[in-house]
Amino acid sequence: MSEWLNQAITQAQGVSDWLSPKRDLALSALADVRWPTRKTEAWKYTSLRPVEKFSKTAPASFSKASSLTQIDGFECLDLVFENGQFVTDLAELTLPEGLSIQLASQADSAKQADVLSKFSSIKPERHVFGLLNDALVQDVLVIEVADNVSVAPALRLTSILSLAAQAHTRVLVVLGEHAKLTVSEHYQGNEESLNTGFVEYEIGADARLEHYRFALQTGKAVSLGGSHFQLAERADLNSTLVGFGSDLSRVDVDMVHAGENAFAKMNAFYLLDGKELFDLHATVEHAVPHGTTEENIRIIAADQAKAVFNGRIHIHRDAQKTLAELNNRNLLMSNKAEINTKPELEIYADDVRCAHGATVAEIDKKALYYMQSRGISRAKAQVMLNFGFINELIDQMPNQELAEWLRPQMREKFSQMEVK
Amino acid sequence: MSNTNTKDTSSLLTIKDLHASVEEKNILKGLNLDVKPGEVHAIMGPNGAGKSTMGYVLSGREGYSVEQGSALLDGVDILELEAEERARAGLFLAFQYPVEIPGVSNLEFLKASVDAQREARGEGAVSSADFLKLAKAACKQVNLPLAFLKRGVNEGFSGGEKKRNEIMQMLLLQPKVCILDETDSGLDIDALQVVAEGVNSQRSSDRSFVVVTHYQRLLDYIKPDFVHVLADGKIVKSGDASLALELEAQGYAWLQPSDEEGQNA
């Protein structure tokens, strides 16, 4: 383990507050956990050197280098973390009826007990950086939607980091029965920094969550986090994850079908250039019958970038009549780029319909030539070809404003990539 | 290069002593061709003679290397140019096997092509609305349903539809020199007529065609000014339209002293 980590843990051991019961559990679990190496299956392709090397101490102040992204027409309530500190003044926000947002540290003891009962109950224990987050977070932002309430504006959770920052953020989102909510998580910053950002979502019976995670930290920002979902009966989850890659970016996603007839859809796409790395581990647990899961993952890796995708669907013995599909298509733009993909289906029930597939293709040189032969520049042709590959998933984003915001960024990133 | 070429402004396409290879196999072995504005030249010949290679070399396909010789398009040496620059200089190759590009709509592809060529000529871009009108007209002219503009480029098109799509591109791009690489292969008689009418509508005093074909049939519809026989990488015989009829009747054997088996190019 690295020095900052040991220090951080030592510090955490001395803290005593309402979160202590969970913190102590995490610390004792961490004591038993071996620090992952390349021999650890879940970290086989992803080196933790950037974490180990990280030696920055927390910066004195937040530098306003980056600010909130402007998204035209996107109606949202902003909840902002700067270098891990929650800086939104909740008293200033006008919340629609049925939506409550609070910091657990400022809630009454009954609420804190409730939060403690849910904290880390959705995020599985096996994620090392999840445990670290458990141990290091100082507070939990709690978002709750009452039964039968549809919240119109989206909630945008932004985590911005400046140089040398170290940040650990934690959010708990609870949707009551028949509730509806859109949450968009944004991770920004490209300076040398380190963050763990975990969000747990409890989606009640017949509730619907529209979810986005824009893991857009680039450059030297080390980002380790996860979005974890638990679905009750007939709950509906539509999730889109977009990744840009940095020295080290890792996202863990867990979707647990806890109630029957739930529906989970996740589209994920990442675009990597230079020496960027992006690693997504997504696990779906079908614990009960009649669940449906659809996953589409598309990856483009150029130059010497490295992509890792591990998609596991675990269908338990009782989860009869499960429908699960995992589709992963990848495009390599250079022969030094790397895409490591591992779809895993683990099925213990005998009456299920499951499919999975993964393909890795190089850019179609015939198509490039064909387009060039019509006068289209090679660079433009690449953009068009790649865009076709990803555009399908952007088209499927339920929120048009977010899709329109994302498209030009994708075009821009594509246009800088080269076929080698 | 040893032989120097004087710029021949009266020709649209001048190929001199062209030698080219693919994967270290020599395919073109001294090709000469001179095409003046408004002329239609037919190139016939057995399999493996280098007919398709000629189109690929001229259009700048990767993997084809030119060992010797020159090719001038309207006075510009195109062999040093990138594929897209050759197209912008006025060269158009109608592919024998047009490429399918799922995810990129035909309309988007056509507009990007036309925009790129207009930009290279210093002309402004056509507005999307105006371009749609042009594209629809071209689509109708080659008898393709308008829905084909929205589909992925050539995606799931039949052989004949792909060839008509090639002609549609030609109509929109208005090139100076069009090379049609076996555009008649796989076409029924109706599609053949549509393609030939498309070509004939574009014949003009400032545009030339090089029509590569196996069969005389296409030449009933597109009347050539010259017919050349390409065998073993060079032109072995040239004549007028009557040569095509002669070839149809007698085959190529009488023209080929060599019994070398050419590879499929």
Side-chain angles (χ1 to χ4, degrees):
Chain A
M1 257 191 233
S2 72
E3 203 168 321
W4 76 262
L5 242 160
N6 286 328
Q7 269 177 14
I9 287 172
T10 310
Q11 266 176 20
Q13 281 161 342
V15 181
S16 174
D17 59 14
W18 68 277
L19 253 171
S20 291
K22 287 291 183 178
R23 187 178 297 117
D24 293 346
L25 276 177
L27 285 168
S28 69
L30 271 174
D32 293 338
V33 168
R34 234 176 237 251
W35 181 245
T37 67
R38 302 293 288 276
K39 287 182 182 155
T40 312
E41 183 62 22
W43 295 90
K44 191 172 174 183
Y45 301 104
T46 299
S47 165
L48 285 174
R49 272 182 58 90
V51 177
E52 289 152 10
K53 281 192 327 203
F54 189 78
S55 60
K56 305 289 183 195
T57 48
S61 64
F62 180 75
S63 74
K64 280 274 179 195
S66 53
S67 52
L68 282 183
T69 313
Q70 183 64 40
I71 301 175
D72 289 344
F74 182 54
E75 201 196 323
C76 67
L77 289 167
D78 275 309
L79 302 165
V80 182
F81 293 92
E82 290 177 349
N83 289 348
Q85 292 297 314
F86 185 66
V87 296
T88 303
D89 184 354
L90 288 173
E92 295 268 295
L93 287 184
T94 314
L95 301 184
E97 196 156 341
L99 170 66
S100 104
I101 302 175
Q102 58 188 328
L103 285 167
S105 62
Q106 286 157 26
D108 58 31
S109 57
K111 175 55 69 184
Q112 288 179 346
D114 180 38
V115 172
L116 278 181
S117 72
K118 286 173 174 157
F119 185 90
S120 274
S121 69
I122 299 168
K123 173 178 71 61
E125 200 189 272
R126 68 173 183 282
H127 301 307
V128 179
F129 290 96
L131 285 174
L132 256 177
N133 186 279
D134 288 357
L136 300 179
V137 288
Q138 287 160 356
D139 212 337
V140 179
L141 180 67
V142 184
I143 298 166
E144 290 168 297
V145 184
D147 292 351
N148 304 307
V149 170
S150 292
V151 178
L155 300 185
R156 175 163 68 163
L157 292 167
T158 304
S159 176
I160 312 176
L161 276 90
S162 56
L163 181 65
Q166 198 194 114
H168 308 283
T169 59
R170 189 60 168 263
V171 182
L172 173 66
V173 180
V174 180
L175 273 73
E177 294 184 4
H178 292 278
K180 271 191 197 168
L181 182 68
T182 297
V183 177
S184 190
E185 303 174 37
H186 296 247
Y187 298 84
Q188 293 172 218
N190 56 13
E191 308 228 58
E192 187 168 3
S193 60
L194 188 149
N195 82 304
T196 65
F198 288 84
V199 186
E200 291 180 282
Y201 294 90
E202 186 185 282
I203 312 171
D206 298 292
R208 178 184 159 86
L209 175 67
E210 187 181 318
H211 170 261
Y212 303 87
R213 184 171 182 132
F214 296 101
L216 304 185
Q217 282 178 333
T218 55
K220 294 207 152 303
V222 174
S223 186
L224 304 143
S227 299
H228 309 273
F229 308 92
Q230 181 177 295
L231 290 83
E233 293 81 13
R234 296 171 302 280
D236 182 325
L237 167 65
N238 187 320
S239 175
T240 303
L241 185 145
V242 184
F244 270 2
S246 65
D247 278 5
L248 170 55
S249 286
R250 159 79 168 235
V251 176
D252 286 288
V253 171
D254 291 273
M255 297 185 273
V256 179
H257 288 259
E260 296 188 16
N261 294 298
F263 178 84
K265 175 185 170 94
M266 183 178 75
N267 283 347
F269 42 102
Y270 26 130
L271 292 179
L272 311 178
D273 201 0
K275 290 186 174 175
E276 291 168 351
L277 179 148
F278 191 88
D279 177 346
L280 168 64
H281 272 57
T283 301
V284 184
E285 299 281 355
H286 280 274
V288 296
H290 298 288
T292 301
T293 298
E294 280 177 19
E295 284 180 87
N296 282 296
I297 289 86
R298 304 255 166 109
I299 303 171
I300 297 178
D303 200 5
Q304 301 175 53
K306 187 172 185 178
V308 183
F309 170 66
N310 183 289
R312 179 166 175 261
I313 299 179
H314 182 188
I315 299 170
H316 296 241
R317 189 182 302 276
D318 293 333
Q320 301 294 359
K321 306 284 183 191
T322 292
L323 300 176
E325 256 184 69
L326 167 59
N327 184 284
N328 171 219
R329 284 171 57 194
N330 306 295
L331 188 65
L332 276 171
M333 288 180 62
S334 107
N335 49 24
K336 283 191 181 151
E338 211 181 286
I339 297 176
N340 302 281
T341 172
K342 186 176 173 193
E344 296 177 82
L345 280 180
E346 217 172 301
I347 306 174
Y348 298 98
D350 54 17
D351 184 14
V352 299
R353 256 196 13 234
C354 295
H356 77 295
T359 58
V360 178
E362 291 182 22
I363 194 158
D364 186 345
K365 290 202 168 145
K366 268 194 336 217
L368 261 187
Y369 161 59
Y370 187 60
M371 295 172 89
Q372 284 179 275
S373 81
R374 298 302 181 246
I376 302 171
S377 73
R378 193 179 172 88
K380 167 86 177 167
Q382 280 169 28
V383 173
M384 290 174 73
L385 287 173
N386 288 338
F387 212 64
F389 182 76
I390 289 279
N391 206 19
E392 204 185 320
L393 296 192
I394 300 181
D395 282 344
Q396 287 179 27
M397 286 168 58
N399 188 294
Q400 286 314 300
E401 288 76 28
L402 286 175
E404 288 312 316
W405 163 71
L406 193 62
R407 245 187 220 108
Q409 293 187 71
M410 293 284 164
R411 276 190 212 276
E412 174 66 20
K413 180 123 183 170
F414 282 142
S415 63
Q416 289 164 5
M417 290 180 167
E418 281 178 56
V419 174
K420 286 182 187 165
Chain B
M1 262 162 262
S2 56
N3 54 337
T4 51
N5 296 292
T6 48
K7 184 173 163 178
D8 185 354
T9 46
S10 66
S11 294
L12 266 186
L13 179 66
T14 310
I15 303 172
K16 279 193 180 153
D17 194 31
L18 187 63
H19 291 251
S21 63
V22 60
E23 286 166 1
E24 293 180 15
K25 191 170 168 61
N26 295 327
I27 308 288
L28 298 183
K29 303 171 182 173
L31 180 70
N32 290 292
L33 190 65
D34 189 60
V35 181
K36 298 215 165 17
E39 291 177 352
V40 175
H41 290 242
I43 308 259
M44 303 182 77
N47 283 330
K51 301 191 299 294
S52 288
T53 298
M54 179 186 73
Y56 292 146
V57 169
L58 292 177
S59 67
R61 184 171 186 168
E62 240 176 57
Y64 289 78
S65 39
V66 173
E67 261 92 43
Q68 198 180 313
S70 65
L72 302 184
L73 183 92
D74 203 11
V76 177
D77 187 351
I78 55 169
L79 296 180
E80 297 296 319
L81 302 180
E82 297 293 331
E84 60 265 36
E85 294 168 327
R86 301 178 193 204
R88 294 169 191 172
L91 183 72
F92 181 86
L93 172 66
F95 282 51
Q96 185 180 2
Y97 303 108
V99 181
E100 295 197 15
I101 312 176
V104 176
S105 83
N106 215 8
L107 186 67
E108 187 189 355
F109 171 67
L110 292 166
K111 178 144 185 357
S113 305
V114 169
D115 282 351
Q117 298 210 10
R118 287 182 65 91
E119 197 188 318
R121 291 193 297 263
E123 299 166 14
V126 185
S127 77
S128 295
D130 288 345
F131 184 76
L132 187 61
K133 279 181 211 153
L134 293 171
K136 280 180 174 173
C139 204
K140 277 184 193 148
Q141 196 178 336
V142 296
N143 225 354
L144 280 177
L146 292 179
F148 278 61
L149 290 173
K150 287 200 173 152
R151 286 170 60 174
V153 177
N154 291 319
E155 190 182 5
F157 289 20
S158 72
E161 286 161 352
K162 285 179 180 166
K163 296 299 174 70
R164 279 184 270 168
N165 201 26
E166 295 291 287
I167 300 303
M168 174 161 70
Q169 293 169 39
M170 187 190 77
L171 296 175
L172 287 166
L173 289 170
Q174 298 282 304
K176 290 177 188 164
V177 174
C178 309
I179 301 172
L180 310 180
D181 188 9
E182 300 202 21
T183 298
D184 51 335
S185 69
L187 293 189
D188 62 27
I189 204 77
D190 292 336
L192 188 71
Q193 279 178 4
V194 169
V195 164
E197 280 163 17
V199 171
N200 289 330
S201 77
Q202 295 301 298
R203 287 182 75 157
S204 76
S205 59
D206 54 2
R207 181 175 294 125
S208 308
F209 291 84
V210 177
V211 181
V212 174
T213 181
H214 266 296
Y215 305 105
Q216 142 70 23
R217 189 179 67 158
L218 178 67
L219 305 180
D220 287 339
Y221 297 94
I222 305 173
K223 298 280 185 215
D225 301 301
F226 300 94
V227 174
H228 309 278
V229 178
L230 182 66
D232 195 24
K234 52 180 174 254
I235 305 286
V236 295
K237 191 168 177 64
S238 297
D240 60 16
S242 65
L243 178 58
L245 293 166
E246 217 173 318
L247 291 167
E248 181 90 339
Q250 299 184 33
Y252 299 110
W254 60 284
L255 290 165
Q256 271 182 298
S258 146
D259 59 354
E260 242 177 86
E261 187 62 35
Q263 69 145 31
N264 205 359

